[in-house]
Amino acid sequence: MSGGLLVAGTTSDAGKSVVTAGICRWLVRRGVKVAPFKAQNMSLNSFVTREGAEIGRAQAMQAQAARVEPTALMNPVLLKPGSDRSSQVVLMGKPVGEMSARGYHGGRQEALLGTVTDCLEQLRSTYDAVICEGAGSPAEINLRRTDIVNMGIARAAKFPVLVVGDIDRGGVFASFFGTTALLSAEDQALVAGYLVNKFRGDVSLLEPGLDMLYGLTGRRTYGVLPYAHGLGIDEEDGLRVSLRGAVRESVVAPPHGEDVLRVAVCAVPLMSNFTDVDALAAEPGVVVRFVDRAEELADADLVVVPGTRGTVKALAWLRERGLAEALVRRAREGRPVLGICGGFQVLGERIEDEVESRAGIVDGLGVLPVRVRFDRAKTLARPVGSALGEAVEGYEIHHGVADVRGGEPFLDGCRVGTVWGTHWHGSLESDGFRRRFLEEVARAAGRRFVPAPDTCFGELREEQLDRLGDLVEEHADTDALWRLIEGGAPVGLPFVPPGAPSVPGDVGAGAPESRGAAPGPAPQSPEGLENPGSAGSRGQRLEIAGSAEATPQGLEVAGSAGIGQEAEQHANKEAL
Protein backbone atom coordinates (compact mmCIF):
# COMPACT_ATOMS: atom_id res chain seq x y z
CA MET A 1 0.00 0.00 0.00
CA SER A 2 1.26 3.47 -0.79
CA GLY A 3 1.98 5.91 1.99
CA GLY A 4 2.16 9.65 2.09
CA LEU A 5 2.72 12.84 4.00
CA LEU A 6 1.47 16.42 3.82
CA VAL A 7 4.14 19.07 4.40
CA ALA A 8 2.28 22.12 5.73
CA GLY A 9 3.71 25.42 6.95
CA THR A 10 3.05 27.95 9.67
CA THR A 11 3.21 30.67 6.98
CA SER A 12 3.86 31.20 3.32
CA ASP A 13 7.56 30.86 2.53
CA ALA A 14 8.23 28.74 5.63
CA GLY A 15 10.13 26.28 3.44
CA LYS A 16 7.44 23.81 2.38
CA SER A 17 8.67 23.56 -1.22
CA VAL A 18 12.30 22.85 -0.38
CA VAL A 19 11.46 20.52 2.52
CA THR A 20 9.16 18.54 0.21
CA ALA A 21 11.96 18.34 -2.35
CA GLY A 22 14.45 17.32 0.32
CA ILE A 23 12.19 14.52 1.56
CA CYS A 24 11.68 13.34 -2.04
CA ARG A 25 15.45 13.25 -2.68
CA TRP A 26 16.10 11.44 0.66
CA LEU A 27 13.46 8.83 -0.15
CA VAL A 28 14.55 8.14 -3.72
CA ARG A 29 18.15 7.70 -2.55
CA ARG A 30 16.99 4.95 -0.20
CA GLY A 31 15.20 3.17 -3.02
CA VAL A 32 11.66 4.45 -2.49
CA LYS A 33 9.64 5.26 -5.62
CA VAL A 34 8.25 8.67 -4.67
CA ALA A 35 6.27 11.47 -6.32
CA PRO A 36 5.49 15.07 -5.25
CA PHE A 37 1.99 16.51 -5.23
CA LYS A 38 0.41 19.90 -4.67
CA ALA A 39 -3.35 20.00 -5.12
CA GLN A 40 -3.57 23.76 -5.66
CA ASN A 41 -0.69 26.08 -6.30
CA MET A 42 -0.67 29.87 -6.61
CA SER A 43 2.41 30.89 -8.53
CA LEU A 44 3.67 32.86 -11.49
CA ASN A 45 6.64 30.50 -11.82
CA SER A 46 5.40 27.64 -13.96
CA PHE A 47 6.73 24.90 -16.21
CA VAL A 48 5.52 22.90 -19.21
CA THR A 49 5.56 19.12 -18.95
CA ARG A 50 6.38 16.87 -21.89
CA GLU A 51 2.68 16.29 -22.54
CA GLY A 52 2.15 20.06 -22.83
CA ALA A 53 0.61 20.73 -19.41
CA GLU A 54 1.40 23.82 -17.32
CA ILE A 55 2.23 23.15 -13.66
CA GLY A 56 3.99 25.02 -10.87
CA ARG A 57 7.75 25.20 -11.33
CA ALA A 58 8.23 24.10 -7.72
CA GLN A 59 6.48 20.81 -8.49
CA ALA A 60 8.70 20.30 -11.54
CA MET A 61 11.71 20.85 -9.27
CA GLN A 62 10.31 18.39 -6.71
CA ALA A 63 9.80 15.82 -9.48
CA GLN A 64 13.44 16.26 -10.41
CA ALA A 65 14.33 15.71 -6.77
CA ALA A 66 12.31 12.49 -6.90
CA ARG A 67 13.97 11.58 -10.23
CA VAL A 68 10.67 11.25 -12.05
CA GLU A 69 9.13 13.06 -15.02
CA PRO A 70 6.76 15.86 -13.94
CA THR A 71 3.13 15.52 -15.00
CA ALA A 72 -0.13 17.42 -14.56
CA LEU A 73 -1.16 14.88 -11.90
CA MET A 74 1.39 16.46 -9.57
CA ASN A 75 -0.26 19.90 -9.65
CA PRO A 76 -3.86 19.63 -10.92
CA VAL A 77 -4.84 23.21 -10.01
CA LEU A 78 -2.58 26.20 -10.71
CA LEU A 79 -3.67 29.78 -10.01
CA LYS A 80 -1.76 32.52 -11.85
CA PRO A 81 -2.56 35.96 -10.43
CA GLY A 82 -3.33 38.71 -12.90
CA SER A 83 -4.02 41.24 -10.13
CA ASP A 84 -4.53 41.17 -6.39
CA ARG A 85 -8.19 40.27 -7.00
CA SER A 86 -8.25 37.70 -9.78
CA SER A 87 -6.28 34.79 -11.17
CA GLN A 88 -6.16 32.62 -14.23
CA VAL A 89 -7.24 29.10 -13.29
CA VAL A 90 -5.16 26.34 -14.89
CA LEU A 91 -6.85 22.95 -14.49
CA MET A 92 -4.96 19.76 -15.37
CA GLY A 93 -2.39 21.87 -17.17
CA LYS A 94 -4.79 23.90 -19.34
CA PRO A 95 -6.21 27.40 -18.70
CA VAL A 96 -9.97 27.49 -18.14
CA GLY A 97 -10.53 31.19 -17.46
CA GLU A 98 -10.05 34.13 -15.13
CA MET A 99 -11.79 34.02 -11.78
CA SER A 100 -12.16 36.32 -8.81
CA ALA A 101 -11.43 35.22 -5.27
CA ARG A 102 -15.12 35.47 -4.45
CA GLY A 103 -16.05 33.31 -7.42
CA TYR A 104 -13.37 30.73 -6.71
CA HIS A 105 -14.19 30.30 -3.02
CA GLY A 106 -17.91 30.56 -3.70
CA GLY A 107 -18.17 26.91 -4.70
CA ARG A 108 -15.74 26.38 -7.58
CA GLN A 109 -12.88 25.33 -5.31
CA GLU A 110 -14.95 22.71 -3.51
CA ALA A 111 -15.99 21.27 -6.87
CA LEU A 112 -12.33 20.52 -7.58
CA LEU A 113 -11.87 18.15 -4.64
CA GLY A 114 -12.84 15.12 -6.72
CA THR A 115 -10.34 16.07 -9.41
CA VAL A 116 -7.43 16.53 -7.00
CA THR A 117 -8.19 13.36 -5.05
CA ASP A 118 -8.41 11.40 -8.32
CA CYS A 119 -4.97 12.72 -9.28
CA LEU A 120 -3.58 11.84 -5.86
CA GLU A 121 -5.01 8.32 -6.06
CA GLN A 122 -3.45 7.78 -9.48
CA LEU A 123 -0.07 8.78 -8.07
CA ARG A 124 -0.57 6.54 -5.04
CA SER A 125 -1.37 3.59 -7.28
CA THR A 126 1.96 4.09 -9.11
CA TYR A 127 4.38 5.20 -6.40
CA ASP A 128 5.44 3.83 -3.01
CA ALA A 129 4.98 7.24 -1.42
CA VAL A 130 3.51 10.62 -2.32
CA ILE A 131 4.83 13.74 -0.55
CA CYS A 132 2.24 16.51 -0.68
CA GLU A 133 2.97 20.19 -0.24
CA GLY A 134 0.40 22.42 1.40
CA ALA A 135 -0.12 26.13 0.72
CA GLY A 136 0.20 29.09 3.04
CA SER A 137 -0.96 27.87 6.44
CA PRO A 138 -3.50 25.15 7.32
CA ALA A 139 -4.82 27.48 10.06
CA GLU A 140 -6.40 30.00 7.66
CA ILE A 141 -9.75 29.44 9.31
CA ASN A 142 -11.58 31.77 6.93
CA LEU A 143 -10.78 29.38 4.07
CA ARG A 144 -11.09 26.01 5.80
CA ARG A 145 -14.56 25.17 4.49
CA THR A 146 -13.36 25.14 0.90
CA ASP A 147 -9.71 24.14 1.47
CA ILE A 148 -8.48 21.47 -0.96
CA VAL A 149 -4.73 21.87 -0.49
CA ASN A 150 -4.06 21.67 3.27
CA MET A 151 -6.27 19.86 5.78
CA GLY A 152 -8.92 19.20 3.14
CA ILE A 153 -6.62 16.94 1.14
CA ALA A 154 -5.03 15.51 4.30
CA ARG A 155 -8.48 14.51 5.60
CA ALA A 156 -9.54 13.09 2.24
CA ALA A 157 -6.36 10.99 1.93
CA LYS A 158 -5.89 10.28 5.68
CA PHE A 159 -2.35 11.65 5.40
CA PRO A 160 -0.30 12.68 8.45
CA VAL A 161 0.72 16.34 8.49
CA LEU A 162 4.19 17.71 9.25
CA VAL A 163 4.15 21.44 9.99
CA VAL A 164 7.26 23.40 8.93
CA GLY A 165 8.21 26.64 10.68
CA ASP A 166 10.85 29.21 9.66
CA ILE A 167 12.75 30.00 12.86
CA ASP A 168 14.80 32.66 11.06
CA ARG A 169 11.66 34.82 11.09
CA GLY A 170 11.23 34.40 14.83
CA GLY A 171 8.19 33.30 16.80
CA VAL A 172 8.38 29.69 15.64
CA PHE A 173 7.08 28.20 18.92
CA ALA A 174 4.05 30.48 18.95
CA SER A 175 3.49 29.66 15.28
CA PHE A 176 3.58 25.91 15.86
CA PHE A 177 1.29 26.10 18.88
CA GLY A 178 -1.11 28.59 17.31
CA THR A 179 -1.34 26.67 14.04
CA THR A 180 -2.32 23.52 15.92
CA ALA A 181 -4.69 25.23 18.35
CA LEU A 182 -6.65 26.88 15.51
CA LEU A 183 -7.54 23.58 13.89
CA SER A 184 -10.61 21.51 14.62
CA ALA A 185 -10.23 18.35 16.66
CA GLU A 186 -10.64 16.26 13.51
CA ASP A 187 -7.89 18.17 11.72
CA GLN A 188 -5.61 18.15 14.77
CA ALA A 189 -5.76 14.37 14.83
CA LEU A 190 -3.67 14.34 11.63
CA VAL A 191 -1.06 16.91 12.75
CA ALA A 192 1.75 14.56 13.71
CA GLY A 193 4.41 17.11 14.62
CA TYR A 194 6.78 19.84 13.56
CA LEU A 195 9.97 20.55 11.62
CA VAL A 196 12.10 23.61 12.36
CA ASN A 197 13.64 25.22 9.27
CA LYS A 198 16.54 27.69 8.83
CA PHE A 199 18.05 27.38 12.31
CA ARG A 200 21.32 29.19 13.05
CA GLY A 201 23.42 28.33 16.09
CA ASP A 202 23.65 25.65 18.76
CA VAL A 203 20.71 23.23 18.64
CA SER A 204 21.13 22.45 22.35
CA LEU A 205 19.89 25.96 23.11
CA LEU A 206 16.68 25.18 21.22
CA GLU A 207 15.97 21.85 22.86
CA PRO A 208 14.28 23.19 26.05
CA GLY A 209 11.75 24.99 23.85
CA LEU A 210 11.10 21.86 21.84
CA ASP A 211 10.51 19.93 25.08
CA MET A 212 8.03 22.57 26.27
CA LEU A 213 6.29 22.51 22.88
CA TYR A 214 5.88 18.76 23.25
CA GLY A 215 4.44 19.27 26.71
CA LEU A 216 1.93 21.81 25.39
CA THR A 217 0.85 19.96 22.28
CA GLY A 218 1.78 16.30 22.75
CA ARG A 219 3.56 16.45 19.39
CA ARG A 220 7.24 15.93 18.78
CA THR A 221 9.61 17.86 16.55
CA TYR A 222 10.93 15.65 13.76
CA GLY A 223 14.02 17.69 12.98
CA VAL A 224 15.85 21.01 13.04
CA LEU A 225 17.22 21.94 9.63
CA PRO A 226 20.10 24.44 9.60
CA TYR A 227 20.12 27.57 7.50
CA ALA A 228 21.62 26.72 4.11
CA HIS A 229 23.07 29.43 1.86
CA GLY A 230 23.07 29.49 -1.91
CA LEU A 231 20.65 26.68 -2.68
CA GLY A 232 19.22 28.53 -5.69
CA ILE A 233 16.28 26.10 -5.80
CA ASP A 234 13.14 26.93 -7.80
CA GLU A 235 10.55 28.48 -5.54
CA GLU A 236 6.96 29.48 -6.05
CA ASP A 237 7.58 33.20 -5.70
CA GLY A 238 10.56 33.27 -3.42
CA LEU A 239 12.06 36.74 -3.76
CA ARG A 240 10.59 37.75 -0.42
CA VAL A 241 8.81 41.01 0.27
CA SER A 242 10.85 43.40 -1.84
CA LEU A 243 12.98 42.71 -4.89
CA ARG A 244 14.98 45.92 -4.63
CA GLY A 245 18.64 45.01 -4.55
CA ALA A 246 17.92 41.30 -4.22
CA VAL A 247 20.73 39.14 -5.56
CA ARG A 248 19.86 35.85 -7.22
CA GLU A 249 22.32 33.59 -5.45
CA SER A 250 23.68 30.27 -6.65
CA VAL A 251 27.34 29.25 -6.60
CA VAL A 252 30.04 31.45 -5.11
CA ALA A 253 33.16 31.31 -7.28
CA PRO A 254 35.66 33.83 -8.64
CA PRO A 255 35.34 34.87 -12.28
CA HIS A 256 37.08 32.69 -14.83
CA GLY A 257 38.36 35.77 -16.66
CA GLU A 258 39.56 39.14 -15.41
CA ASP A 259 36.16 40.82 -15.06
CA VAL A 260 32.79 40.07 -13.56
CA LEU A 261 29.63 40.48 -15.61
CA ARG A 262 26.78 42.47 -14.05
CA VAL A 263 23.21 41.48 -14.95
CA ALA A 264 20.22 43.66 -13.99
CA VAL A 265 16.76 42.08 -14.11
CA CYS A 266 13.84 44.53 -14.32
CA ALA A 267 11.47 43.50 -11.52
CA VAL A 268 8.30 44.10 -13.53
CA PRO A 269 4.83 43.66 -11.97
CA LEU A 270 3.47 40.10 -12.02
CA MET A 271 6.93 38.86 -12.91
CA SER A 272 6.81 35.24 -14.02
CA ASN A 273 9.50 32.60 -14.40
CA PHE A 274 12.25 34.75 -12.93
CA THR A 275 14.04 31.40 -12.52
CA ASP A 276 15.21 31.96 -16.12
CA VAL A 277 18.15 33.93 -14.73
CA ASP A 278 19.26 31.20 -12.32
CA ALA A 279 21.46 29.71 -15.02
CA LEU A 280 23.21 33.09 -15.37
CA ALA A 281 23.70 33.29 -11.59
CA ALA A 282 25.26 29.81 -11.70
CA GLU A 283 28.12 31.10 -13.85
CA PRO A 284 31.26 32.05 -11.88
CA GLY A 285 31.74 35.80 -12.11
CA VAL A 286 28.15 36.65 -13.09
CA VAL A 287 26.27 38.82 -10.58
CA VAL A 288 22.48 38.93 -11.01
CA ARG A 289 20.43 41.66 -9.30
CA PHE A 290 16.73 42.55 -9.46
CA VAL A 291 16.16 46.28 -9.92
CA ASP A 292 13.29 48.73 -10.21
CA ARG A 293 15.02 52.08 -10.86
CA ALA A 294 16.42 53.46 -14.10
CA GLU A 295 19.70 54.49 -12.48
CA GLU A 296 20.33 50.87 -11.50
CA LEU A 297 20.75 49.98 -15.18
CA ALA A 298 23.69 52.35 -15.65
CA ASP A 299 26.46 49.92 -14.68
CA ALA A 300 24.74 46.77 -15.94
CA ASP A 301 26.47 44.82 -18.70
CA LEU A 302 23.23 43.04 -19.55
CA VAL A 303 19.64 44.00 -18.77
CA VAL A 304 17.02 41.26 -18.75
CA VAL A 305 13.33 42.10 -19.13
CA PRO A 306 11.71 38.90 -17.82
CA GLY A 307 8.36 37.26 -18.33
CA THR A 308 5.21 38.72 -16.82
CA ARG A 309 1.56 37.78 -16.43
CA GLY A 310 0.67 41.38 -17.31
CA THR A 311 2.55 42.57 -20.39
CA VAL A 312 0.67 45.86 -20.81
CA LYS A 313 0.87 46.56 -17.08
CA ALA A 314 4.62 45.86 -17.14
CA LEU A 315 5.05 48.22 -20.08
CA ALA A 316 3.24 51.02 -18.24
CA TRP A 317 5.36 50.35 -15.15
CA LEU A 318 8.59 50.54 -17.16
CA ARG A 319 7.49 53.91 -18.53
CA GLU A 320 6.42 55.27 -15.15
CA ARG A 321 9.79 54.36 -13.62
CA GLY A 322 11.91 55.74 -16.45
CA LEU A 323 13.13 52.23 -17.20
CA ALA A 324 11.55 52.24 -20.67
CA GLU A 325 13.55 55.28 -21.71
CA ALA A 326 16.70 53.72 -20.28
CA LEU A 327 16.10 50.51 -22.24
CA VAL A 328 15.57 52.40 -25.52
CA ARG A 329 18.74 54.40 -24.85
CA ARG A 330 20.70 51.20 -24.20
CA ALA A 331 19.49 49.77 -27.51
CA ARG A 332 20.62 52.91 -29.38
CA GLU A 333 24.03 52.74 -27.68
CA GLY A 334 24.55 49.08 -28.55
CA ARG A 335 24.40 47.89 -24.94
CA PRO A 336 22.97 44.37 -24.41
CA VAL A 337 19.30 43.77 -23.59
CA LEU A 338 17.50 40.41 -23.46
CA GLY A 339 13.69 40.16 -23.43
CA ILE A 340 12.09 36.86 -22.46
CA CYS A 341 8.41 36.12 -23.15
CA GLY A 342 6.49 39.17 -21.84
CA GLY A 343 9.81 41.03 -21.81
CA PHE A 344 10.24 40.19 -25.49
CA GLN A 345 6.75 41.50 -26.20
CA VAL A 346 7.33 44.91 -24.57
CA LEU A 347 10.48 45.42 -26.68
CA GLY A 348 8.42 45.18 -29.88
CA GLU A 349 6.66 47.85 -31.90
CA ARG A 350 3.06 47.15 -30.99
CA ILE A 351 0.89 45.00 -28.72
CA GLU A 352 -2.71 44.17 -29.54
CA ASP A 353 -4.31 42.82 -26.37
CA GLU A 354 -8.01 42.03 -26.07
CA VAL A 355 -7.34 39.03 -23.80
CA GLU A 356 -5.02 39.74 -20.87
CA SER A 357 -5.45 43.47 -20.20
CA ARG A 358 -8.14 44.20 -22.82
CA ALA A 359 -6.27 47.43 -23.50
CA GLY A 360 -6.52 47.11 -27.27
CA ILE A 361 -3.58 48.40 -29.29
CA VAL A 362 -0.64 49.69 -27.24
CA ASP A 363 2.71 50.96 -28.52
CA GLY A 364 5.72 48.93 -27.40
CA LEU A 365 9.25 50.23 -26.90
CA GLY A 366 10.01 49.76 -30.59
CA VAL A 367 13.52 48.35 -30.29
CA LEU A 368 12.64 45.07 -32.02
CA PRO A 369 10.67 44.74 -35.32
CA VAL A 370 7.91 42.65 -33.75
CA ARG A 371 4.15 43.03 -33.47
CA VAL A 372 2.32 40.97 -30.87
CA ARG A 373 -1.33 39.94 -30.89
CA PHE A 374 -2.79 38.21 -27.85
CA ASP A 375 -4.71 35.03 -28.66
CA ARG A 376 -7.26 33.43 -26.35
CA ALA A 377 -5.54 30.07 -26.86
CA LYS A 378 -2.43 29.68 -24.73
CA THR A 379 0.78 28.39 -26.27
CA LEU A 380 2.26 25.61 -24.11
CA ALA A 381 5.23 23.93 -25.75
CA ARG A 382 8.68 22.38 -25.25
CA PRO A 383 10.63 23.62 -28.30
CA VAL A 384 14.13 22.60 -29.34
CA GLY A 385 16.37 24.43 -31.78
CA SER A 386 19.69 26.18 -32.14
CA ALA A 387 21.10 29.67 -31.74
CA LEU A 388 24.60 31.13 -31.87
CA GLY A 389 25.74 27.80 -33.27
CA GLU A 390 24.62 25.81 -30.22
CA ALA A 391 21.72 23.48 -29.44
CA VAL A 392 18.97 25.00 -27.27
CA GLU A 393 15.95 23.62 -25.40
CA GLY A 394 13.24 25.64 -23.70
CA TYR A 395 9.55 25.88 -22.90
CA GLU A 396 6.84 28.33 -23.91
CA ILE A 397 3.92 29.72 -21.86
CA HIS A 398 2.21 32.70 -23.50
CA HIS A 399 -0.92 34.12 -25.09
CA GLY A 400 0.98 36.60 -27.25
CA VAL A 401 1.61 35.63 -30.87
CA ALA A 402 4.68 37.37 -32.32
CA ASP A 403 4.79 38.61 -35.90
CA VAL A 404 8.53 39.09 -36.48
CA ARG A 405 9.12 41.57 -39.29
CA GLY A 406 12.89 41.85 -39.43
CA GLY A 407 16.16 41.42 -37.61
CA GLU A 408 18.18 38.22 -37.38
CA PRO A 409 16.38 35.03 -36.31
CA PHE A 410 16.88 34.20 -32.64
CA LEU A 411 15.07 31.11 -31.38
CA ASP A 412 11.40 31.98 -32.14
CA GLY A 413 12.09 35.71 -31.89
CA CYS A 414 14.73 38.00 -33.32
CA ARG A 415 17.88 39.94 -32.69
CA VAL A 416 18.78 43.48 -33.70
CA GLY A 417 22.34 44.38 -32.80
CA THR A 418 22.74 43.73 -29.08
CA VAL A 419 19.01 43.39 -28.36
CA TRP A 420 17.62 39.85 -28.26
CA GLY A 421 14.03 38.72 -27.81
CA THR A 422 12.42 35.28 -27.47
CA HIS A 423 9.37 33.56 -26.00
CA TRP A 424 11.52 30.63 -24.86
CA HIS A 425 11.90 30.20 -21.11
CA GLY A 426 14.74 28.04 -19.85
CA SER A 427 16.97 28.54 -22.90
CA LEU A 428 19.87 29.73 -20.74
CA GLU A 429 19.99 26.32 -19.05
CA SER A 430 21.53 24.98 -22.29
CA ASP A 431 25.20 25.23 -21.34
CA GLY A 432 26.83 25.73 -24.74
CA PHE A 433 24.30 28.36 -25.81
CA ARG A 434 24.62 30.21 -22.48
CA ARG A 435 28.41 30.41 -22.85
CA ARG A 436 28.21 31.76 -26.42
CA PHE A 437 25.56 34.28 -25.38
CA LEU A 438 27.65 35.54 -22.44
CA GLU A 439 30.70 35.85 -24.70
CA GLU A 440 28.69 38.13 -27.00
CA VAL A 441 27.41 40.15 -24.06
CA ALA A 442 30.92 40.56 -22.65
CA ARG A 443 32.27 41.62 -26.05
CA ALA A 444 29.53 44.22 -26.50
CA ALA A 445 29.96 45.47 -22.92
CA GLY A 446 33.74 45.73 -23.24
CA ARG A 447 34.29 43.35 -20.34
CA ARG A 448 37.18 40.89 -20.08
CA PHE A 449 34.78 38.26 -18.82
CA VAL A 450 35.27 34.66 -19.89
CA PRO A 451 32.58 32.01 -19.21
CA ALA A 452 33.90 29.00 -17.34
CA PRO A 453 34.25 26.12 -19.82
CA ASP A 454 32.93 23.45 -17.46
CA THR A 455 29.82 24.96 -15.83
CA CYS A 456 26.98 22.47 -16.19
CA PHE A 457 23.69 23.85 -14.92
CA GLY A 458 22.05 20.42 -14.79
CA GLU A 459 24.82 19.05 -12.60
CA LEU A 460 24.67 22.08 -10.32
CA ARG A 461 20.94 21.60 -9.90
CA GLU A 462 21.49 17.95 -9.01
CA GLU A 463 24.09 18.96 -6.43
CA GLN A 464 21.63 21.43 -4.89
CA LEU A 465 18.92 18.79 -4.69
CA ASP A 466 21.39 16.41 -3.07
CA ARG A 467 22.15 19.11 -0.52
CA LEU A 468 18.45 19.23 0.32
CA GLY A 469 18.39 15.46 0.70
CA ASP A 470 21.46 15.70 2.95
CA LEU A 471 19.74 18.28 5.16
CA VAL A 472 16.82 15.93 5.74
CA GLU A 473 18.97 12.84 6.19
CA GLU A 474 21.42 14.48 8.60
CA HIS A 475 19.13 16.75 10.63
CA ALA A 476 15.74 15.02 10.73
CA ASP A 477 14.68 11.82 12.46
CA THR A 478 14.29 9.90 9.22
CA ASP A 479 13.23 6.67 10.92
CA ALA A 480 10.35 8.50 12.57
CA LEU A 481 9.52 10.27 9.28
CA TRP A 482 9.34 6.96 7.46
CA ARG A 483 7.00 5.57 10.12
CA LEU A 484 4.73 8.56 9.50
CA ILE A 485 4.80 8.08 5.73
CA GLU A 486 4.19 4.35 5.99
CA GLY A 487 1.77 4.19 8.91
CA GLY A 488 0.04 7.57 9.20
CA ALA A 489 -0.34 9.92 12.15
CA PRO A 490 0.16 8.46 15.64
CA VAL A 491 -3.06 7.36 17.30
CA GLY A 492 -4.30 9.33 20.30
CA LEU A 493 -2.68 12.71 19.66
CA PRO A 494 -4.07 15.14 22.24
CA PHE A 495 -6.45 17.97 21.42
CA VAL A 496 -4.95 21.45 21.82
CA PRO A 497 -7.59 23.98 22.90
CA PRO A 498 -9.37 26.06 21.92
CA GLY A 499 -9.48 24.55 18.42
CA ALA A 500 -11.71 25.66 15.60
CA PRO A 501 -15.27 24.39 15.46
CA SER A 502 -16.04 21.68 12.95
CA VAL A 503 -17.99 23.28 10.15
CA PRO A 504 -20.54 21.10 8.37
CA GLY A 505 -19.46 20.62 4.81
CA ASP A 506 -15.73 21.14 5.42
CA VAL A 507 -13.82 19.81 2.43
CA GLY A 508 -12.35 16.43 3.29
CA ALA A 509 -14.60 15.89 6.31
CA GLY A 510 -15.95 12.40 6.48
CA ALA A 511 -14.01 11.33 3.41
CA PRO A 512 -13.71 7.56 3.11
CA GLU A 513 -10.41 5.83 3.71
CA SER A 514 -8.58 5.90 0.40
CA ARG A 515 -5.25 4.27 1.18
CA GLY A 516 -4.52 1.61 -1.39
CA ALA A 517 -7.63 2.29 -3.45
CA ALA A 518 -7.61 1.01 -7.01
CA PRO A 519 -6.87 3.66 -9.62
CA GLY A 520 -9.90 5.11 -11.32
CA PRO A 521 -10.26 6.63 -14.75
CA ALA A 522 -8.38 9.79 -15.69
CA PRO A 523 -9.45 12.78 -13.60
CA GLN A 524 -12.45 14.57 -15.01
CA SER A 525 -13.56 18.15 -14.67
CA PRO A 526 -15.75 18.90 -11.66
CA GLU A 527 -19.33 19.96 -12.07
CA GLY A 528 -19.89 23.65 -11.51
CA LEU A 529 -16.71 24.94 -13.15
CA GLU A 530 -17.74 26.35 -16.49
CA ASN A 531 -15.76 26.22 -19.69
CA PRO A 532 -16.17 29.65 -21.21
CA GLY A 533 -14.53 28.55 -24.44
CA SER A 534 -16.96 25.75 -25.25
CA ALA A 535 -20.35 25.89 -26.89
CA GLY A 536 -23.54 25.33 -24.99
CA SER A 537 -24.92 26.58 -21.71
CA ARG A 538 -22.78 28.17 -19.02
CA GLY A 539 -23.61 25.32 -16.66
CA GLN A 540 -22.31 22.49 -18.83
CA ARG A 541 -19.37 20.33 -17.77
CA LEU A 542 -15.89 21.72 -18.33
CA GLU A 543 -13.95 20.11 -21.16
CA ILE A 544 -10.34 20.01 -20.01
CA ALA A 545 -9.04 18.98 -23.40
CA GLY A 546 -10.14 22.21 -25.07
CA SER A 547 -7.20 24.50 -25.84
CA ALA A 548 -9.13 27.73 -26.34
CA GLU A 549 -9.55 30.08 -23.43
CA ALA A 550 -11.91 32.96 -22.91
CA THR A 551 -12.79 35.04 -19.92
CA PRO A 552 -15.88 33.59 -18.21
CA GLN A 553 -18.91 35.82 -18.23
CA GLY A 554 -20.46 36.58 -14.90
CA LEU A 555 -17.25 36.10 -12.87
CA GLU A 556 -16.80 39.23 -10.83
CA VAL A 557 -13.34 40.69 -10.37
CA ALA A 558 -14.39 42.82 -7.43
CA GLY A 559 -14.34 41.38 -3.94
CA SER A 560 -11.76 39.67 -1.79
CA ALA A 561 -8.13 40.65 -2.23
CA GLY A 562 -6.47 37.56 -3.62
CA ILE A 563 -7.37 33.95 -4.23
CA GLY A 564 -6.57 31.58 -1.41
CA GLN A 565 -3.38 30.75 0.38
CA GLU A 566 -0.15 32.59 -0.45
CA ALA A 567 -1.88 35.45 -2.27
CA GLU A 568 -0.03 37.97 -0.14
CA GLN A 569 3.22 37.19 -1.93
CA HIS A 570 1.84 38.60 -5.16
CA ALA A 571 0.51 41.71 -3.47
CA ASN A 572 4.03 42.33 -2.19
CA LYS A 573 5.32 42.45 -5.74
CA GLU A 574 2.75 45.08 -6.65
CA ALA A 575 4.13 47.26 -3.85
CA LEU A 576 7.56 47.64 -5.45
Side-chain angles (χ1 to χ4, degrees), residues 417-499:
T418 57
V419 180
W420 296 265
T422 177
H423 274 131
W424 290 24
H425 294 289
S427 62
L428 293 167
E429 295 180 18
S430 299
D431 297 322
F433 165 71
R434 183 180 64 255
R435 285 191 278 271
R436 299 290 84 77
F437 177 73
L438 290 176
E439 286 173 355
E440 295 220 8
V441 168
R443 189 179 305 114
R447 294 286 185 188
R448 291 172 294 182
F449 168 85
V450 179
D454 56 353
T455 301
C456 176
F457 184 76
E459 290 179 2
L460 288 173
R461 177 52 50 87
E462 278 296 304
E463 290 173 8
Q464 293 164 333
L465 293 171
D466 275 331
R467 286 180 64 194
L468 287 180
D470 292 343
L471 286 175
V472 171
E473 191 164 345
E474 296 169 10
H475 300 281
D477 186 340
T478 52
D479 289 339
L481 274 179
W482 178 246
R483 288 194 295 272
L484 275 185
I485 293 167
E486 193 175 37
V491 177
L493 290 168
F495 173 72
V496 179

Side-chain angles (χ1 to χ4, degrees), residues 25-86:
R25 179 50 60 101
W26 158 64
L27 286 172
V28 76
R29 291 196 308 203
R30 63 178 287 174
V32 177
K33 190 178 180 183
V34 60
F37 178 78
K38 186 161 185 174
Q40 172 193 293
N41 195 350
M42 173 173 273
S43 180
L44 289 171
N45 282 337
S46 59
F47 182 75
V48 179
T49 67
R50 294 204 179 277
E51 71 266 31
E54 184 179 9
I55 66 172
R57 180 133 184 140
Q59 278 60 67
M61 175 270 293
Q62 291 160 357
Q64 186 178 351
R67 296 177 180 152
V68 296
E69 189 68 30
T71 73
L73 293 174
M74 298 172 184
N75 180 206
V77 182
L78 174 64
L79 305 177
K80 303 193 72 175
S83 71
D84 61 353
R85 293 172 180 255
S86 68

Side-chain angles (χ1 to χ4, degrees), residues 314-339:
L315 183 56
W317 181 87
L318 290 168
R319 286 180 167 133
E320 290 166 3
R321 299 271 175 142
L323 287 159
E325 183 181 351
L327 288 167
V328 172
R329 186 166 58 249
R330 283 185 69 92
R332 285 200 304 262
E333 295 170 354
R335 303 179 67 195
V337 176
L338 171 64

Side-chain angles (χ1 to χ4, degrees), residues 250-280:
S250 184
V251 298
V252 178
H256 191 71
E258 297 180 46
D259 281 350
V260 299
L261 207 62
R262 296 172 177 84
V263 179
V265 184
C266 296
V268 296
L270 300 171
M271 182 169 55
S272 61
N273 288 74
F274 56 75
T275 49
D276 282 333
V277 300
D278 284 356
L280 296 179

